[in-house]
Every structure is written in structure tokens, then in C-alpha cells.
Amino acid sequence: MTEITRVPLQPIKKGSLTKLWLGVVVAVLLGAGLAWAAVPKGLDVETVTAGTGDSPKLGDVVFVQYVGKLTDGTEFDRSQPLPVPPGLFPEGNPLLLEEGAIIDGFIEGLTQMQKGGSYVLTIPAEQAYGAEPPPGSPIPPNADLVFEVDVVDFMSRDDFQARAAALQQMMGPQGEGDAGAPPAE
């Protein structure tokens, strides 16, 4: 048999193999970093003070006290006390856990909280308002939102509606006076 070509192998220079392995490690780390940066950010619920008992579920009405902020600390919303007689409803703002009633990230976050707990809820833009925040809102497009949330209590929608009907009955006679009727003698 005859040999057609023969290529002589040159010896590897000292340190070349180390440089090759360092290059491979840098390439792997760079690829992992790019992959991590491309993963969409998810909802984050940080427990400040743990609550007790069950967590609210879809269809429940959750009473919360909250402060909404942008990631730079700019406050854009704050809960307000309900103008109702004390004792009929728990303190805080009632939020119905139902699609379309509040932003998706708030629904998902509240279902991970418990009564009496305090939490910091970080909602990525995709689960908040995305590219279209409410008109006139101080929230810029594609903004992540941060809420400090205290869960006061929660109840079923039926219980909430029954209490609201009772409140309406209590308020009804006061607002229905006979305007223009002569005073009773």
C-alpha cells in the first residue's frame, strides 16, 4: 500500500490546552448568562410577616391594605378605607379574585397569601398592564409593579354580596325620604 498524504503533527505549545479549556468555560458561561436573561421574569411573593390559615381562591373577595409602586419607588396607588359603618366589612379594600376584575399578577399573588400576612408582591409587566397601562395613569408602558400588601381578611362572594345587601337595606330608608311631602303632624 502506498501512502498518498502524510501530515506531521506538531507538538502542542505549553499552556495551549489550558487556554482552550478556558475558552470553552467562558463560552458555556456566556451561553448560560444569555439563556438566563432570556427567561421571562415571573411573579414574586416575598413574605414579610406570615399569615395563618387558608389562602383565598378564585371567586373570593379579599380585603387588603396596599401601596402600589414602580420599581424606582414612585407610588402610583394606595388603598383607601371603605366609607361604610365599622363591623359590617373587614378593614381594607375589597378585591374580587376574578379574571378581569384586577390584574392577573395580583390575582395569582393573592392566592399565595394568607389572612393576617404582610407581603411584597412584584408583578412583571406581562402580568400587569403590559404595553397599555390605563389612560392617564402614572404607570409607564411595560412597567414592573411592586405592591406592599397586608391581607386583612377574605370571604366568599356570596357572603360579601349578602353583607352588601344588608348595608343597602340599612342605608335605604335614610336616602329614600319623601322629598316635597309636607311634614308629618
Side-chain angles (χ1 to χ4, degrees):
M1 243 164 89
T2 58
E3 290 184 38
I4 299 178
T5 38
R6 180 182 282 207
V7 179
L9 294 175
Q10 299 292 324
I12 297 175
K13 292 182 182 178
K14 189 173 184 176
S16 294
L17 196 53
T18 304
K19 290 177 186 174
L20 175 67
W21 279 109
L22 282 174
V24 168
V25 168
V26 167
V28 167
L29 290 175
L30 184 61
L34 289 173
W36 180 80
V39 172
K41 295 177 280 183
L43 182 81
D44 182 45
V45 179
E46 177 189 334
T47 302
V48 176
T49 304
T52 57
D54 294 333
S55 295
K57 58 189 176 308
L58 290 178
D60 285 344
V61 177
V62 185
F63 291 83
V64 297
Q65 294 176 338
Y66 68 89
V67 176
K69 299 179 182 179
L70 301 175
T71 54
D72 68 2
T74 304
E75 186 177 314
F76 64 85
D77 193 15
R78 176 179 290 271
S79 58
Q80 302 295 321
L82 285 177
V84 296
L88 191 58
F89 289 107
E91 290 184 25
N93 281 47
L95 300 176
L96 174 60
L97 294 187
E98 183 176 271
E99 190 175 324
I102 56 177
I103 58 175
D104 293 343
F106 220 115
I107 293 172
E108 185 179 335
L110 285 172
T111 60
Q112 297 176 37
M113 300 177 187
Q114 295 173 299
K115 176 181 172 180
S118 294
Y119 305 88
V120 175
L121 176 61
T122 304
I123 304 173
E126 300 80 39
Q127 290 182 290
Y129 296 106
E132 297 179 18
S137 165
I139 301 171
N142 300 311
D144 296 341
L145 306 179
V146 179
F147 290 90
E148 297 167 2
V149 181
D150 294 332
V151 179
V152 178
D153 203 353
F154 63 92
M155 62 183 63
S156 71
R157 182 191 322 217
D158 292 340
D159 189 14
F160 178 81
Q161 289 174 337
R163 291 180 189 207
L167 175 64
Q168 214 169 17
Q169 275 188 329
M170 285 175 25
M171 303 293 279
Q174 295 174 1
E176 293 177 7
D178 293 317
E185 292 186 52

PDB file of all heavy atoms in Angstrom, residues 93-113:
ATOM      1  N   ASN A  93     -59.473  47.407  51.344  1.00  0.00           N
ATOM      2  CA  ASN A  93     -60.189  47.459  50.076  1.00  0.00           C
ATOM      3  C   ASN A  93     -60.599  46.053  49.666  1.00  0.00           C
ATOM      4  O   ASN A  93     -59.774  45.143  49.679  1.00  0.00           O
ATOM      5  CB  ASN A  93     -59.303  48.041  48.985  1.00  0.00           C
ATOM      6  CG  ASN A  93     -59.213  49.532  49.053  1.00  0.00           C
ATOM      7  OD1 ASN A  93     -58.992  50.086  50.120  1.00  0.00           O
ATOM      8  ND2 ASN A  93     -59.368  50.186  47.933  1.00  0.00           N
ATOM      9  N   PRO A  94     -61.854  45.863  49.259  1.00  0.00           N
ATOM     10  CA  PRO A  94     -62.272  44.556  48.782  1.00  0.00           C
ATOM     11  C   PRO A  94     -61.837  44.359  47.326  1.00  0.00           C
ATOM     12  O   PRO A  94     -62.056  45.227  46.489  1.00  0.00           O
ATOM     13  CB  PRO A  94     -63.791  44.591  48.908  1.00  0.00           C
ATOM     14  CG  PRO A  94     -64.141  46.045  48.796  1.00  0.00           C
ATOM     15  CD  PRO A  94     -62.968  46.805  49.350  1.00  0.00           C
ATOM     16  N   LEU A  95     -61.198  43.243  47.052  1.00  0.00           N
ATOM     17  CA  LEU A  95     -60.786  42.903  45.687  1.00  0.00           C
ATOM     18  C   LEU A  95     -61.378  41.549  45.329  1.00  0.00           C
ATOM     19  O   LEU A  95     -61.146  40.554  46.021  1.00  0.00           O
ATOM     20  CB  LEU A  95     -59.257  42.841  45.583  1.00  0.00           C
ATOM     21  CG  LEU A  95     -58.484  44.112  45.928  1.00  0.00           C
ATOM     22  CD1 LEU A  95     -56.992  43.839  45.876  1.00  0.00           C
ATOM     23  CD2 LEU A  95     -58.860  45.236  44.993  1.00  0.00           C
ATOM     24  N   LEU A  96     -62.128  41.497  44.253  1.00  0.00           N
ATOM     25  CA  LEU A  96     -62.719  40.253  43.771  1.00  0.00           C
ATOM     26  C   LEU A  96     -61.669  39.490  42.971  1.00  0.00           C
ATOM     27  O   LEU A  96     -61.093  40.033  42.021  1.00  0.00           O
ATOM     28  CB  LEU A  96     -63.936  40.537  42.896  1.00  0.00           C
ATOM     29  CG  LEU A  96     -64.584  39.335  42.201  1.00  0.00           C
ATOM     30  CD1 LEU A  96     -65.081  38.311  43.224  1.00  0.00           C
ATOM     31  CD2 LEU A  96     -65.721  39.804  41.309  1.00  0.00           C
ATOM     32  N   LEU A  97     -61.389  38.266  43.380  1.00  0.00           N
ATOM     33  CA  LEU A  97     -60.414  37.447  42.663  1.00  0.00           C
ATOM     34  C   LEU A  97     -61.105  36.786  41.481  1.00  0.00           C
ATOM     35  O   LEU A  97     -61.570  35.657  41.550  1.00  0.00           O
ATOM     36  CB  LEU A  97     -59.801  36.374  43.582  1.00  0.00           C
ATOM     37  CG  LEU A  97     -58.937  36.881  44.718  1.00  0.00           C
ATOM     38  CD1 LEU A  97     -58.263  35.722  45.436  1.00  0.00           C
ATOM     39  CD2 LEU A  97     -57.908  37.857  44.232  1.00  0.00           C
ATOM     40  N   GLU A  98     -61.175  37.547  40.415  1.00  0.00           N
ATOM     41  CA  GLU A  98     -61.830  37.086  39.205  1.00  0.00           C
ATOM     42  C   GLU A  98     -61.138  37.744  38.016  1.00  0.00           C
ATOM     43  O   GLU A  98     -60.815  38.934  38.064  1.00  0.00           O
ATOM     44  CB  GLU A  98     -63.298  37.477  39.244  1.00  0.00           C
ATOM     45  CG  GLU A  98     -64.106  36.991  38.082  1.00  0.00           C
ATOM     46  CD  GLU A  98     -65.573  37.338  38.265  1.00  0.00           C
ATOM     47  OE1 GLU A  98     -66.282  36.519  38.868  1.00  0.00           O
ATOM     48  OE2 GLU A  98     -65.991  38.424  37.811  1.00  0.00           O
ATOM     49  N   GLU A  99     -60.925  36.964  36.972  1.00  0.00           N
ATOM     50  CA  GLU A  99     -60.275  37.496  35.780  1.00  0.00           C
ATOM     51  C   GLU A  99     -61.023  38.709  35.266  1.00  0.00           C
ATOM     52  O   GLU A  99     -62.248  38.706  35.158  1.00  0.00           O
ATOM     53  CB  GLU A  99     -60.212  36.419  34.700  1.00  0.00           C
ATOM     54  CG  GLU A  99     -59.350  36.813  33.526  1.00  0.00           C
ATOM     55  CD  GLU A  99     -59.187  35.693  32.520  1.00  0.00           C
ATOM     56  OE1 GLU A  99     -59.113  34.523  32.940  1.00  0.00           O
ATOM     57  OE2 GLU A  99     -59.141  36.003  31.325  1.00  0.00           O
ATOM     58  N   GLY A 100     -60.287  39.771  34.995  1.00  0.00           N
ATOM     59  CA  GLY A 100     -60.877  40.997  34.506  1.00  0.00           C
ATOM     60  C   GLY A 100     -61.218  41.987  35.604  1.00  0.00           C
ATOM     61  O   GLY A 100     -61.404  43.166  35.342  1.00  0.00           O
ATOM     62  N   ALA A 101     -61.312  41.527  36.859  1.00  0.00           N
ATOM     63  CA  ALA A 101     -61.628  42.430  37.965  1.00  0.00           C
ATOM     64  C   ALA A 101     -60.379  43.179  38.419  1.00  0.00           C
ATOM     65  O   ALA A 101     -60.451  44.360  38.758  1.00  0.00           O
ATOM     66  CB  ALA A 101     -62.250  41.659  39.128  1.00  0.00           C
ATOM     67  N   ILE A 102     -59.251  42.485  38.469  1.00  0.00           N
ATOM     68  CA  ILE A 102     -57.956  43.076  38.815  1.00  0.00           C
ATOM     69  C   ILE A 102     -56.901  42.440  37.913  1.00  0.00           C
ATOM     70  O   ILE A 102     -57.175  41.449  37.235  1.00  0.00           O
ATOM     71  CB  ILE A 102     -57.591  42.885  40.315  1.00  0.00           C
ATOM     72  CG1 ILE A 102     -57.616  41.408  40.710  1.00  0.00           C
ATOM     73  CG2 ILE A 102     -58.517  43.691  41.200  1.00  0.00           C
ATOM     74  CD1 ILE A 102     -57.203  41.133  42.140  1.00  0.00           C
ATOM     75  N   ILE A 103     -55.687  42.995  37.915  1.00  0.00           N
ATOM     76  CA  ILE A 103     -54.651  42.469  37.026  1.00  0.00           C
ATOM     77  C   ILE A 103     -54.283  41.031  37.405  1.00  0.00           C
ATOM     78  O   ILE A 103     -54.367  40.630  38.567  1.00  0.00           O
ATOM     79  CB  ILE A 103     -53.398  43.369  37.002  1.00  0.00           C
ATOM     80  CG1 ILE A 103     -52.807  43.550  38.397  1.00  0.00           C
ATOM     81  CG2 ILE A 103     -53.705  44.699  36.356  1.00  0.00           C
ATOM     82  CD1 ILE A 103     -51.505  44.340  38.427  1.00  0.00           C
ATOM     83  N   ASP A 104     -53.884  40.256  36.408  1.00  0.00           N
ATOM     84  CA  ASP A 104     -53.602  38.832  36.589  1.00  0.00           C
ATOM     85  C   ASP A 104     -52.561  38.566  37.673  1.00  0.00           C
ATOM     86  O   ASP A 104     -52.703  37.639  38.467  1.00  0.00           O
ATOM     87  CB  ASP A 104     -53.122  38.210  35.271  1.00  0.00           C
ATOM     88  CG  ASP A 104     -54.212  38.189  34.204  1.00  0.00           C
ATOM     89  OD1 ASP A 104     -55.404  38.344  34.563  1.00  0.00           O
ATOM     90  OD2 ASP A 104     -53.872  38.014  33.018  1.00  0.00           O
ATOM     91  N   GLY A 105     -51.512  39.372  37.700  1.00  0.00           N
ATOM     92  CA  GLY A 105     -50.457  39.163  38.697  1.00  0.00           C
ATOM     93  C   GLY A 105     -50.950  39.338  40.118  1.00  0.00           C
ATOM     94  O   GLY A 105     -50.502  38.655  41.038  1.00  0.00           O
ATOM     95  N   PHE A 106     -51.901  40.256  40.320  1.00  0.00           N
ATOM     96  CA  PHE A 106     -52.452  40.470  41.657  1.00  0.00           C
ATOM     97  C   PHE A 106     -53.294  39.257  42.060  1.00  0.00           C
ATOM     98  O   PHE A 106     -53.244  38.807  43.201  1.00  0.00           O
ATOM     99  CB  PHE A 106     -53.288  41.747  41.703  1.00  0.00           C
ATOM    100  CG  PHE A 106     -53.107  42.542  42.971  1.00  0.00           C
ATOM    101  CD1 PHE A 106     -52.544  43.797  42.938  1.00  0.00           C
ATOM    102  CD2 PHE A 106     -53.497  42.037  44.196  1.00  0.00           C
ATOM    103  CE1 PHE A 106     -52.377  44.537  44.093  1.00  0.00           C
ATOM    104  CE2 PHE A 106     -53.335  42.760  45.361  1.00  0.00           C
ATOM    105  CZ  PHE A 106     -52.775  44.022  45.311  1.00  0.00           C
ATOM    106  N   ILE A 107     -54.055  38.719  41.112  1.00  0.00           N
ATOM    107  CA  ILE A 107     -54.864  37.523  41.402  1.00  0.00           C
ATOM    108  C   ILE A 107     -53.948  36.374  41.802  1.00  0.00           C
ATOM    109  O   ILE A 107     -54.150  35.739  42.840  1.00  0.00           O
ATOM    110  CB  ILE A 107     -55.724  37.124  40.178  1.00  0.00           C
ATOM    111  CG1 ILE A 107     -56.791  38.174  39.906  1.00  0.00           C
ATOM    112  CG2 ILE A 107     -56.367  35.744  40.400  1.00  0.00           C
ATOM    113  CD1 ILE A 107     -57.560  37.967  38.609  1.00  0.00           C
ATOM    114  N   GLU A 108     -52.939  36.097  40.987  1.00  0.00           N
ATOM    115  CA  GLU A 108     -52.026  34.991  41.272  1.00  0.00           C
ATOM    116  C   GLU A 108     -51.306  35.198  42.604  1.00  0.00           C
ATOM    117  O   GLU A 108     -51.146  34.270  43.385  1.00  0.00           O
ATOM    118  CB  GLU A 108     -51.006  34.859  40.136  1.00  0.00           C
ATOM    119  CG  GLU A 108     -50.096  33.664  40.293  1.00  0.00           C
ATOM    120  CD  GLU A 108     -49.093  33.521  39.165  1.00  0.00           C
ATOM    121  OE1 GLU A 108     -49.347  34.008  38.046  1.00  0.00           O
ATOM    122  OE2 GLU A 108     -48.034  32.912  39.417  1.00  0.00           O
ATOM    123  N   GLY A 109     -50.878  36.423  42.874  1.00  0.00           N
ATOM    124  CA  GLY A 109     -50.176  36.705  44.120  1.00  0.00           C
ATOM    125  C   GLY A 109     -51.061  36.528  45.337  1.00  0.00           C
ATOM    126  O   GLY A 109     -50.657  35.917  46.333  1.00  0.00           O
ATOM    127  N   LEU A 110     -52.294  37.049  45.293  1.00  0.00           N
ATOM    128  CA  LEU A 110     -53.189  36.946  46.443  1.00  0.00           C
ATOM    129  C   LEU A 110     -53.535  35.500  46.777  1.00  0.00           C
ATOM    130  O   LEU A 110     -53.736  35.167  47.945  1.00  0.00           O
ATOM    131  CB  LEU A 110     -54.468  37.750  46.197  1.00  0.00           C
ATOM    132  CG  LEU A 110     -54.317  39.271  46.309  1.00  0.00           C
ATOM    133  CD1 LEU A 110     -55.597  39.968  45.848  1.00  0.00           C
ATOM    134  CD2 LEU A 110     -53.966  39.693  47.719  1.00  0.00           C
ATOM    135  N   THR A 111     -53.598  34.631  45.784  1.00  0.00           N
ATOM    136  CA  THR A 111     -53.912  33.221  46.057  1.00  0.00           C
ATOM    137  C   THR A 111     -52.741  32.501  46.759  1.00  0.00           C
ATOM    138  O   THR A 111     -52.903  31.373  47.191  1.00  0.00           O
ATOM    139  CB  THR A 111     -54.295  32.458  44.774  1.00  0.00           C
ATOM    140  OG1 THR A 111     -53.206  32.507  43.852  1.00  0.00           O
ATOM    141  CG2 THR A 111     -55.552  33.027  44.148  1.00  0.00           C
ATOM    142  N   GLN A 112     -51.595  33.174  46.866  1.00  0.00           N
ATOM    143  CA  GLN A 112     -50.442  32.597  47.569  1.00  0.00           C
ATOM    144  C   GLN A 112     -50.259  33.213  48.962  1.00  0.00           C
ATOM    145  O   GLN A 112     -49.299  32.910  49.660  1.00  0.00           O
ATOM    146  CB  GLN A 112     -49.168  32.824  46.752  1.00  0.00           C
ATOM    147  CG  GLN A 112     -49.197  32.143  45.406  1.00  0.00           C
ATOM    148  CD  GLN A 112     -47.959  32.463  44.594  1.00  0.00           C
ATOM    149  OE1 GLN A 112     -46.865  32.572  45.115  1.00  0.00           O
ATOM    150  NE2 GLN A 112     -48.140  32.616  43.288  1.00  0.00           N
ATOM    151  N   MET A 113     -51.172  34.093  49.360  1.00  0.00           N
ATOM    152  CA  MET A 113     -51.070  34.787  50.642  1.00  0.00           C
ATOM    153  C   MET A 113     -52.082  34.232  51.629  1.00  0.00           C
ATOM    154  O   MET A 113     -52.989  33.509  51.248  1.00  0.00           O
ATOM    155  CB  MET A 113     -51.301  36.289  50.434  1.00  0.00           C
ATOM    156  CG  MET A 113     -50.301  36.929  49.507  1.00  0.00           C
ATOM    157  SD  MET A 113     -50.692  38.676  49.251  1.00  0.00           S
ATOM    158  CE  MET A 113     -49.504  39.099  47.991  1.00  0.00           C
TER     159      MET A 113
END
